[in-house]
């Protein structure tokens, strides 16, 4: 959809007069070149995934006019990023850095503070700076998408894999900085990064890890992508899910290509859920399964066909379990409750040996049935999983959006131990609240050994005000109820950041206060992404900004 604009444009950053803003923008244009600074004054076009806007949140939860920038700047180098930051400090104009802005479901490209200047790093800083086939690593700029990194790695001819998340159009660096996950054994993106270059909120530039030690003759340090920690405090973590710096380069480890087999296991009984979790934990902690497998509810087999909900059910409220059952029974998965998507890696012999163990363990669940890629038609989602789990980017998961007219999604993403009681509690909270607010429940557990990310995809019609209101009310209630039971989100939408940050409240919000101390010392003018992850600079605190 396209939303018309309201009021005088562009929307100004808080506390900035129009005259001052215009002067500041003229100065920024002189610094970057006038074609690299664009005022946000056109109607707000949601576009679609591959032509996403950097003006607002395409998957808006409010009126799109509420989460807009004033302008966007396109720096072409780390030096230019530093210049933009110094400019922002001079005028006290808030910045909102994005790599590519495809963070859909968590806020897209939208700034938390209306009228911020979006710093779109990806448009001009989009090079793969190095691929090292010997130590299996690379060095990327913010604008390198999974598709681009995949192509560049392919071009080298070396047998290396990247690790894409569900959708391959996002930024490799942006995803790691937001602590996203993929599905190969390298699926924890932050854990597999090695070295950052960061522009601090004052404009100073640092390199972390071994990058801090200058290489011979001014070159990059030869160990920058080999050793993560360097010397002294390990600071990389504070530049993830934060507003303490703008990351301009990132090292990342790649995986040597290997043979692999992706499969699905279907389980017929809803009540076996806890037993399934027990088996998965056992396979994960013993490292029999080495990647990030998924456990999905059967309703997702319907959704990922890309059909509209009405093709399955025309009634109000949630699709009844019985209706899901009827449709599933005509599909390759059959009438089942949960579906496990896993992958084993190694030589053919290792794969067969591992698979034998996996089969033995799952055979403890009554009716567990293994389905392999050769068993399903070429358009089945399993083939998409095969690619994602072997390092090939995909956008198949977008098919979900057809579930609703004007489909958009919002992610509810709590973490829980890979244990039966916890999994049960958390899924029950999500199920009850989805029912109350009349959304179909799409739960996916992404299992990273001892812990699972439960990603619940709330699909809503963004042209329907009532659905938007219900989506926000539902997620707010789930956040609160999960927190009461001891579970927290690993990531959330920009508009829910305050609520989530405040659930991490142990010892009278000691952690949040620590973040604020860091914020005030690193960013005294409070220009960098105010409010991101619930961290507000001093001048915003207690001024009614928190939601
Ligand atoms: P993607 O396009 O990969 O989905 P985004 O570029 O939208 O991801 O990044 C997600 C969020 O992470 C952004 O909204 C921003 O807050 C933060 N972010 C992204 N890139 C950077 C960066 N290079 N430096 C600091 N923060 C970043």
């Amino acid at each position: 959809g396209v939303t018309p604009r309201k009021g005088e444009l562009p929307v100004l950053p808080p506390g900035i007069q129009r005259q001052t803003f215009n002067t500041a923008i003229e100065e920024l244009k002189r610094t970057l070149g006038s074609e690299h600074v664009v005022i946000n004054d056109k109607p707000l076009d949601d576009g679609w995934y591959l032509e996403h806007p950097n003006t607002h949140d395409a998957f808006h939860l409010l009126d799109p006019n509420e989460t807009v920038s004033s302008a966007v700047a396109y720096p072409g180098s780390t030096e230019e990023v530093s210049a933009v930051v110094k400019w922002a400090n001079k005028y006290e104009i808030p910045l909102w850095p994005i790599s590519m802005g495809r963070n859909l479901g968590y806020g897209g490209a939208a700034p938390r503070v209306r009228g911020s200047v979006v710093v779109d790093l990806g448009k001009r800083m989009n090079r793969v700076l190095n691929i090292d086939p010997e130590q299996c690593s690379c060095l990327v700029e913010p604008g390198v998408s999974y598709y681009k990194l995949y192509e560049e790695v392919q071009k080298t001819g070396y047998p290396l894999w990247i690790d894409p998340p569900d959708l391959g159009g996002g930024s490799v660096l942006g995803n790691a900085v937001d602590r996203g996950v993929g599905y190969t054994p390298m699926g924890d993106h932050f854990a597999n990064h090695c070295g950052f270059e960061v522009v601090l909120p004052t404009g100073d530039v640092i390199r972390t890890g071994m990058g801090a030690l200058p290489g011979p003759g001014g070159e990059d340090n030869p160990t920058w992508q080999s050793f993560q920690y360097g010397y002294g405090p390990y600071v990389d973590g504070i530049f993830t899910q934060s507003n303490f710096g703008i990351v301009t380069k990132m090292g990342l480890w790649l995986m040597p290509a290997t043979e692999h087999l992706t499969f699905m296991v279907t389980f017929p009984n809803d009540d076996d859920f806890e037993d399934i979790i027990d088996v998965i934990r056992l396979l994960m902690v013993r490292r029999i399964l080495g990647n990030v497998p998924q456990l999905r509810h059967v309703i997702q087999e319907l959704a990922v066909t890309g059909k509209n909900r009405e093709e399955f059910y025309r009634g109000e409220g949630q699709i009844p379990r019985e209706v899901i059952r009827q449709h599933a029974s005509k599909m390759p998965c059959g009438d089942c409750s949960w579906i496990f998507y896993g992958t084993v890696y190694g030589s053919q012999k290792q794969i067969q040996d591992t698979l034998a163990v996996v089969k033995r363990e799952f055979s403890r669940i009554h009716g567990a049935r293994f389905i392999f890629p050769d068993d399903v038609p070429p358009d089945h989602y399993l083939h998409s999983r095969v690619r994602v789990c072997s390092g090939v980017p995909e956008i198949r998961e977008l098919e979900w959006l057809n579930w609703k007219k004007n489909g958009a999604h919002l992610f509810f993403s709590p973490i829980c131990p890979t244990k039966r009681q916890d999994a049960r509690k958390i899924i029950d909270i999500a199920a009850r609240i989805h029912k109350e607010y009349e959304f179909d429940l799409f739960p996916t557990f992404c299992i990273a050994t001892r812990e699972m990310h439960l990603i619940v995809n709330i699909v809503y019609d963004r042209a329907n005000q009532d659905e938007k209101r219900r989506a926000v009310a539902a997620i707010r209630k789930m956040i609160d109820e999960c927190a009461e039971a001891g579970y927290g989100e690993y990531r959330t939408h920009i508009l829910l950041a305050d609520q989530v940050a405040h659930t991490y409240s142990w010892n009278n919000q000691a952690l949040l206060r620590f973040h604020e101390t860091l914020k005030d010392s690193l960013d005294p003018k409070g220009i960098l992404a105010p409010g991101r992850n619930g961290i507000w600079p001093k001048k915003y605190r207690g001024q009614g900004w928190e939601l």
Side-chain angles (χ1 to χ4, degrees), residues 162-222:
I162 67 161
D163 183 284
D166 289 301
L167 295 173
S171 157
V172 173
L173 185 156
N175 189 283
V177 157
D178 218 17
R179 297 204 296 264
V181 296
Y183 300 99
T184 77
M186 315 285 276
D188 182 342
H189 293 158
F190 175 67
N192 287 292
H193 99 289
C194 193
F196 282 150
E197 178 183 85
V198 186
V199 176
L200 297 177
T202 47
D204 286 341
V205 185
I206 62 168
R207 287 186 174 185
T208 67
M210 297 308 293
L213 196 156
E219 291 186 9
D220 292 351
N221 186 282

Side-chain angles (χ1 to χ4, degrees), residues 96-103 108 121 142 170-171 173-175 177-178 245-247 532:
W96 186 266
I98 59 169
S99 285
M100 299 189 76
R102 284 209 180 99
N103 205 20
L121 301 155
S171 157
L173 185 156
N175 189 283
V177 157
D178 218 17
I246 300 179
V247 182
R532 177 154 154 78

Side-chain angles (χ1 to χ4, degrees), residues 218-259:
E219 291 186 9
D220 292 351
N221 186 282
T223 321
W224 196 16
Q225 270 69 68
S226 318
F227 183 58
Q228 291 171 311
Y229 307 134
Y231 181 74
Y234 179 60
V235 297
D236 291 40
I238 70 164
F239 299 110
T240 66
Q241 292 198 0
S242 79
N243 45 18
F244 301 152
I246 300 179
V247 182
T248 49
K249 291 187 180 70
M250 179 182 78
L252 184 70
W253 291 336
L254 301 169
M255 181 169 148
T258 168
E259 293 185 77

Side-chain angles (χ1 to χ4, degrees), residues 223-414:
T223 321
W224 196 16
Q225 270 69 68
S226 318
F227 183 58
Q228 291 171 311
Y229 307 134
Y231 181 74
Y234 179 60
V235 297
D236 291 40
I238 70 164
F239 299 110
T240 66
Q241 292 198 0
S242 79
N243 45 18
F244 301 152
I246 300 179
V247 182
T248 49
K249 291 187 180 70
M250 179 182 78
L252 184 70
W253 291 336
L254 301 169
M255 181 169 148
T258 168
E259 293 185 77
H260 55 97
L261 177 66
T262 297
F263 55 89
M264 52 200 271
V265 191
T266 61
F267 306 98
N269 302 320
D270 288 355
D271 294 343
D272 287 339
F273 174 68
E274 283 98 327
D275 293 341
I276 299 168
I277 296 293
D278 275 342
V279 172
I280 293 174
R281 185 188 58 254
L282 186 148
L283 293 170
M284 295 296 295
V285 292
R286 291 199 211 152
R287 300 217 170 271
I288 294 165
L289 287 170
N291 73 327
V292 179
Q294 289 191 341
L295 184 69
R296 301 178 157 219
H297 191 265
V298 61
I299 189 176
Q300 270 132 260
E301 294 292 299
L302 273 53
V304 84
T305 59
K307 291 183 184 154
N308 185 271
R309 177 179 199 274
E310 303 216 326
E311 295 194 38
F312 300 105
Y313 182 67
R314 289 181 165 274
E316 298 281 300
Q318 287 186 323
I319 294 200
R321 183 71 185 89
E322 199 41 46
V323 175
I324 299 172
R325 207 179 280 290
Q326 281 161 15
H327 289 287
S329 63
K330 289 177 255 158
M331 301 171 73
C333 61
D335 174 7
C336 64
S337 61
W338 292 92
I339 303 180
F340 179 77
Y341 280 94
T343 308
V344 286
Y345 302 88
S347 66
Q348 283 305 327
K349 167 133 187 11
Q350 285 169 322
I351 288 173
Q352 291 312 320
D353 290 351
T354 307
L355 194 61
V357 180
V358 174
K359 280 185 170 167
R360 191 185 66 217
E361 295 301 333
F362 274 128
S363 71
R364 292 196 271 155
I365 316 284
H366 176 74
R369 184 164 72 94
F370 279 70
I371 300 176
F372 294 95
D374 288 345
D375 302 333
V376 294
D379 63 345
H380 192 275
Y381 174 67
L382 178 54
H383 299 290
S384 161
R385 270 343 277 174
V386 171
R387 289 188 285 274
V388 168
C389 294
S390 59
V392 184
E394 274 279 311
I395 52 170
R396 175 77 187 256
E397 301 269 335
L398 284 178
E399 308 262 292
W400 289 78
L401 297 175
N402 298 336
W403 192 253
K404 290 274 175 85
K405 253 189 322 189
N406 312 303
H409 61 228
L410 170 66
F411 290 123
F412 171 58
S413 318

Side-chain angles (χ1 to χ4, degrees), residues 431-448:
R432 179 168 38 78
I433 295 174
H434 271 62
K435 189 159 196 216
E436 182 184 342
Y437 289 92
E438 303 192 341
F439 286 104
D440 294 314
L441 176 66
F442 297 118
T444 300
F445 288 95
C446 302
I447 304 120

